[in-house]
Amino acid sequence: MRKKLRVAVGVVTAFAALSLAACGGGSSGNGANGSKGGAAQGAEQGAAPAAAPKQPVPAAFDNTKGWEIRDDEHDLSGPVISDEAGLVLLRWHERGGKTARVVARDAKTGKVRWSSKPVVRPEAPKSGMPVDSKVLLARGGSKEYAVLAVTGSEGGDGVNTASPVTRLAVYDIASSGDDVKPQREITVPGPALGFTAQRELGVVKVASDQGVSLVDVVSGQVTTYDRNHALKSPKPCQQLIGTCDNSRVTVAGQTPVGPLVQGYGAFWAGGWFSGDVVPAGAVPERGGRRVTASGLPNGDALASWPDKEGKGQTNVYAVHDGKTGLVRASVACANESDSAFTPTVSGDGRYVLAGRVVIDLQSGQGQCFEQTSTRNAITVATVDKAGTAYGKTSQSPASVDLSSGHASPLPWGTLLPTAIGADVAVFGTSTAGGESILVYPRR
């Protein structure tokens, strides 16, 4: 494979004056002896939330127990679950405030185990859709890290223009105390349009209008692929017009053998090429639709291939091994538009979810919950370790027994889990607008 034209290696920077603003006093490296004086109210170690109200949830979860976060002064959002650490992590910031932090709560009790020092949130751009700060999880060897990503513009004084910047603060998930300092702070060129964590690889993908940066959270290295890079296909790939790597080439993620490259009607990584691993019933292009791929947390790729028979909007969804490109599992499905959803993976890493598609990596089988003559289409949001999927039709919340494929309606008003861990499920994504984040244990 030819080398890319430009690789920008980011430096692990010490932006202490920025990231440690709005807090008083010092603290130890992991925050164990940090002063509570600088910690935000409600984010101090040991702070406990209210008991969760008895809301209607699926029967697998106990709505007589659990905890709730409701906050009229601060926004908490984007909860993610670390089963290894037994934590629910949230992004915290004051409404209208200029800083953000990570708050890590015990998954069972809701008590705060640790909270980070505030990190300055750069100003949102005056044009375009700003991306808010976000908490992600990434692994480095046997350790897991929490990553707080912020983006925006800094500086500018009426004469000089502001400079766009993206920063990632990386924390040991096993920290304790208040005002925890990051283990490393990483600067990424330009503003971000989105953040995606490939958790098992320890990589955060930062997308911008200039290209894509892949960040190794352990080493701090940032590899940037701008729009002029030349990540050529490992083999000739002539198309009806031009080749698969002569235009619109982007980086879709990381694999164990190198970047996952999305070309025109093809994708590749390392020495393997999508044209050699086309799943049964699929073609690279059909009726103006072309194969597209996304990186998964474990380094595999999920590809959406046009159906060979050209049936309506049917695609073949296939998980490709990141090392070899070989198909691990696939299923044909008349799905929503691929742009309407972001592929996700269940908490235990077994299931890949993509709109109306669920692929079981353990059994190598995929299921499609498209519209049939007897059932409305179901968009699946989460899957628990017992093999039950939760989602909704246009008319009702629903659960699906993946062992049988049988779908059942849930009572109207049933809350659906937004994240499911080994022992708890989270309901809700933000406290903005008077909403709550609820955490109930599994029965």
Side-chain angles (χ1 to χ4, degrees), residues 8-14 185-188 219-222:
V9 179
V11 179
V12 181
T13 60
E185 299 163 314
I186 306 166
T187 298
V188 181
S219 69
Q221 178 172 305
V222 180

Side-chain angles (χ1 to χ4, degrees), residues 150-317:
V150 298
T151 189
S153 298
E154 293 177 345
D157 54 13
V159 175
N160 301 299
T161 59
S163 300
V165 66
T166 297
R167 293 195 175 98
L168 307 181
V170 182
Y171 306 89
D172 185 342
I173 204 165
S175 298
S176 64
D178 307 321
D179 289 343
V180 172
K181 293 180 180 179
Q183 290 199 342
R184 61 193 59 84
E185 299 163 314
I186 306 166
T187 298
V188 181
L193 298 178
F195 306 108
T196 306
Q198 290 191 266
R199 184 172 179 173
E200 302 308 311
L201 297 184
V203 169
V204 172
K205 173 187 169 184
V206 180
S208 75
D209 57 3
Q210 300 300 314
V212 171
S213 295
L214 299 179
V215 182
D216 185 316
V217 303
V218 176
S219 69
Q221 178 172 305
V222 180
T223 306
T224 296
Y225 304 89
D226 63 25
R227 293 189 178 277
N228 297 315
H229 66 66
L231 287 169
K232 295 294 186 180
S233 166
K235 64 187 304 181
C237 54
Q238 189 69 33
Q239 305 282 31
L240 292 177
I241 301 177
T243 66
C244 68
D245 55 14
N246 68 347
S247 66
R248 303 182 188 177
V249 177
T250 61
V251 171
Q254 181 73 23
T255 74
V257 293
L260 175 65
V261 184
Q262 175 68 61
Y264 184 83
F267 60 95
W268 56 89
W272 60 263
F273 176 65
S274 62
D276 297 329
V277 289
V278 181
V283 289
E285 184 175 2
R286 165 73 69 170
R289 295 181 292 138
R290 301 174 186 87
V291 63
T292 58
S294 300
L296 295 177
N298 65 351
D300 287 346
L302 175 69
S304 171
W305 296 82
D307 176 72
K308 186 176 184 179
E309 302 301 323
K311 299 176 183 177
Q313 293 299 308
T314 298
N315 283 352
V316 176
Y317 292 84

Side-chain angles (χ1 to χ4, degrees), residues 400-426:
V400 182
D401 182 346
L402 295 178
S403 64
S404 65
H406 177 70
S408 303
L410 294 171
W412 184 255
T414 298
L415 301 181
L416 296 177
T418 53
I420 303 176
D423 300 310
V424 300
V426 177

